């Protein structure tokens, strides 16, 4: 299969440069009803994978640039205050765990454990 047209690149660049307008024109032609990307690529003298890449670049949603989030560094609580608050951790079987931090009265803890046991039956 012989091509009737040959392109000779005489610049120092070895690769062909496509402007954004040319890329948009080729991608638009490939998106026409009944057109195939490979058919349009052959007609324009481009490799099919290049047209797929251009379509991905031109038709994808723009992503926001990564940035920094505002962060506030809080001071650690005093050690004495952390000890007075307390922590209760109860495991009922392998799947149920409850963690209560801070001040909790015995009636509340008993009610929570009773409710969890009733739900396991």
């Amino acid at each position: 299969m012989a091509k009737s047209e040959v392109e000779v690149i005489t610049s120092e660049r070895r690769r062909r440069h496509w402007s954004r307008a040319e890329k948009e024109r080729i991608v638009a032609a490939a998106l026409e009803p009944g057109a195939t990307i490979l058919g349009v690529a052959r007609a324009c003298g481009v490799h099919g994978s290049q047209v797929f890449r251009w379509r991905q670049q031109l038709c994808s949603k723009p992503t926001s640039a990564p940035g920094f989030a505002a962060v506030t560094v809080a001071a650690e609580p005093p050690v004495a205050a952390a000890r007075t608050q307390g922590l209760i951790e109860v495991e009922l079987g392998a799947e149920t765990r409850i963690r209560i931090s801070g001040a909790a009265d015995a009636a509340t803890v008993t009610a929570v454990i009773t409710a969890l046991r009733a739900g396991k039956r």
Side-chain angles (χ1 to χ4, degrees):
M1 184 174 181
K3 278 191 157 184
S4 60
E5 186 178 315
V6 175
E7 181 179 354
V8 178
I9 300 174
T10 58
S11 66
E12 291 181 15
R13 284 195 287 191
R14 293 181 181 258
R15 294 184 179 180
R16 187 169 177 186
H17 176 75
W18 296 89
S19 69
R20 183 171 177 94
E22 290 173 316
K23 292 176 185 179
E24 289 174 351
R25 180 184 56 79
I26 293 170
V27 169
L31 294 176
E32 290 291 323
T36 63
I37 289 183
L38 295 176
V40 171
R42 285 186 189 128
C44 295
V46 183
H47 197 273
S49 64
Q50 188 65 59
V51 179
F52 277 106
R53 172 75 52 126
W54 291 342
R55 184 185 68 176
Q56 184 181 31
Q57 291 171 348
L58 297 172
C59 297
S60 66
K61 294 179 183 176
T63 58
S64 61
F68 291 99
V71 176
T72 304
V73 178
E76 290 187 32
V79 176
R83 287 185 185 153
T84 58
Q85 290 179 352
L87 175 67
I88 300 172
E89 189 170 334
V90 179
E91 290 187 27
L92 300 173
E95 299 175 0
T96 306
R97 179 183 300 159
I98 182 171
R99 182 179 292 170
I100 302 171
S101 61
D105 60 352
T108 304
V109 175
T110 303
V112 169
I113 292 173
T114 304
L116 287 172
R117 281 189 179 156
K120 293 294 275 183
R121 292 181 190 162

